[in-house]
Amino acid sequence: MRRVGISLTGVLGFLVVAALLAVVAVAVLRESRPEAAAVSTGCESRAGVQVTTTTDFAPVVRAAVDRLAGDVEQCSFDVITASSADAAERIASGTQVPQVWIPDSGIWVERARLGDAGPALTVGPTLATTPVVLAVPGSLAPRAGSLAVQPWQDILRGPLALRVGDPADSTASLLALTSATEALTGTPQGDQLLLTSIIRMSRQAVAGEELLAEASTDTTEATAVAATEQQVFRQLTDATGPPLGVVVPAEGVAPLTYSWVVIPGEDEDDATRDAVARLEQSLLGVAGVVDRREAGFRTADGDGAPDVPAVPAGTAVVSPAPSLGEAEAILADWDAAGGDVRVLAVVDTSTSMLSSAGDRTRIELATDGLGSALEILPPTSQAGLWMFSSNQASGAEWTELAPIDTLDAGRDDGGTHREALLAEVASLTDRTEGGTGLYDTVLAAYRAVQEDYDPDAVNTVVLLTDGREDEPGGLTLYRLLVELQASADPERPVPVHIIGVGTDVYEHELRLITELTGGRHHLASDPAEAGTVFIDVLTRPFRAE
């Protein structure tokens, strides 16, 4: 029987020929199907994996990217800096969507999710945190006191003259304002201090990244600014200016929290997903922890405070992060505080305003409240003052004590319109006599504000009275309502707000008048509340409803 032998050389030759034929066949197929050449086998067909984060955190991300050089061959990384607020807006609208986003607060993630055009967001681990602090220029530190931890009331009343950035753009400023609001609201004194401070700060706001630079100049105009522990650390280590002191609000402020957020695209390939995963591991690994520490950030649970001499160990007081609703309320209040008002204050000086309310008179309480409100109004707002009763020298039932003018407008005597107004308000306690000519005064005040209407401000009348119409021969309620209706102009709305003091006012009449004009009536059945109500009504345009 004959055996058939197969040589090793023959087998190898056959395999080589087969392999060559396969290569040729694949090449022929690719030539006959040109569309296959456009199919990406990795990231080479893309500009790269886009990572968006803040200016402060970008160096940490770039260091993680550098460690991946040569390891992720098919993908490149493009690290783009933007405020978390701007990034959230772009993501929500679908106009600029990165593959990875590292915002500095979960608030912006929630905001990005509100957009109808926005993609799905997958929130991963927290990478780093840093507390919010108030950076204090060196020249201001001695006047700021020796305490590193101070309550908000002392911070806003004291010499720090705190400045913040626009909370719609600066997370540190948003979180600081949220903390101050929670700490101060609930009492008339706290509400007044908060509103006064927000009105002032809204007119002094600069871009968030400019705040620390301004504090670092340490000029005579320098003020404390909202910042983060990491920013103060960076300023210290980079020696970019005189050393800064730090004050921490005693009530606590939520820290900035940097989270890993993945935004997968519909056509994302395996190589991109692998590159994103490798970058996450590079950030979370031992080397990433070192990078974050060296940059001045803390760990996810707040440990590992950087060495900042101005921040003694344990003084960074933190509180829970605000909800999206709480943050939105702060942003709404900020927007409202940035506007202006054009108001005519009208005060009842009839004899009944001399009635006692505890150890003071009604007119004293009213003038105190009006004076405090005029102190709060911003310098660019406008205000005027009338008094009314039946015994006016002019023969009418009202007298103009100060015309409506801008509060910081100069006077011939070298003072301001605000100062002149306050002097007239103080004089009201000596001008009380006669009855209550309410209806004619309301109509005249309404028409006076409407006549010189300012479309760039909230035009309004705020009137305080402790009685009802008792002047014979004047307008009736019916006639007043008819005249107000006839004078109404949708292009020049003038809401009339009336404060009724005591128990002698007719609430029904006040409601009819104010509702017709788009205003509100407010009752202070306890005359001791008149001043507080006056402040509340006059400053209402600066608060979000």
Side-chain angles (χ1 to χ4, degrees), residues 433-515:
E433 61 176 340
T436 306
L438 178 62
Y439 298 155
D440 288 87
T441 302
V442 169
L443 182 60
Y446 179 87
R447 287 174 172 172
V449 174
Q450 189 182 59
E451 181 177 357
D452 295 319
Y453 190 86
D454 183 351
D456 296 323
V458 176
N459 297 255
T460 185
V461 173
V462 177
L463 183 147
L464 181 143
T465 181
D466 72 340
R468 63 196 71 165
E469 173 70 38
D470 60 9
E471 183 65 15
L475 288 174
T476 63
L477 175 63
Y478 172 76
R479 195 67 219 167
L480 169 63
L481 297 177
V482 169
E483 293 293 339
L484 287 173
Q485 183 68 55
S487 299
D489 182 352
E491 299 298 321
R492 297 180 298 162
V494 179
V496 175
H497 302 283
I498 301 180
I499 303 167
V501 180
T503 58
D504 293 333
V505 296
Y506 282 156
E507 181 183 2
H508 176 65
E509 292 184 355
L510 303 187
R511 180 184 294 111
L512 289 175
I513 295 169
T514 55
E515 287 185 352

Side-chain angles (χ1 to χ4, degrees), residues 354-404:
L354 289 172
S355 300
S356 297
D359 59 352
R360 311 195 67 199
T361 64
R362 294 178 179 181
I363 190 65
E364 288 174 335
L365 293 167
T367 55
D368 281 355
L370 176 55
S372 296
L374 290 174
E375 293 280 13
I376 294 174
L377 298 184
T380 50
S381 283
Q382 306 166 59
L385 177 65
W386 286 11
M387 65 178 183
F388 75 99
S389 67
S390 58
N391 288 348
Q392 299 298 311
S394 64
E397 295 181 354
W398 63 89
T399 296
E400 179 185 87
L401 300 179
I404 298 176

Side-chain angles (χ1 to χ4, degrees), residues 51-65 79-82 102 230 258 283 297:
V51 183
T52 298
T53 191
T54 65
T55 302
D56 292 329
F57 202 71
V60 176
V61 178
R62 292 192 177 105
V65 168
V79 181
I80 297 174
T81 59
I102 305 177
Q230 184 270 339
Y258 291 83
L283 284 166
F297 290 99

Side-chain angles (χ1 to χ4, degrees), residues 156-197:
L156 295 180
R157 288 191 189 279
L160 294 179
L162 177 65
R163 294 183 69 179
V164 299
D166 185 342
D169 186 65
S170 167
T171 304
S173 298
L174 173 60
L175 296 175
L177 288 172
T178 303
S179 171
T181 300
E182 184 175 347
L184 295 174
T185 52
T187 66
Q189 297 79 9
D191 290 340
Q192 183 175 338
L193 174 60
L194 180 67
L195 181 59
T196 303
S197 301

Side-chain angles (χ1 to χ4, degrees), residues 4 14 30 41 53 58 72 76 100 109 159 163 168 182 186 188 206 223 226 228 336 339 415 451 469 483 491 500:
V4 179
F14 174 80
R30 284 185 173 176
T41 59
T53 191
V72 184
S76 62
V100 176
V109 176
R163 294 183 69 179
E182 184 175 347
V206 297
T223 67
T228 67
E451 181 177 357
E469 173 70 38
E483 293 293 339
E491 299 298 321

Side-chain angles (χ1 to χ4, degrees), residues 26-27 29-42 44-45:
V26 169
L29 286 172
R30 284 185 173 176
E31 287 295 324
S32 63
R33 295 175 58 194
E35 71 278 4
V39 178
S40 172
T41 59
E44 71 274 6
S45 65

Side-chain angles (χ1 to χ4, degrees), residues 18 34 96 176 203 237 248 264 273 319 321 347 425 444 470 477 512 538:
Q96 186 175 342
R203 284 156 172 76
T237 55
V248 179
R273 284 188 287 271
S319 62
V347 181
V425 169
D470 60 9
L477 175 63
L512 289 175
L538 268 172

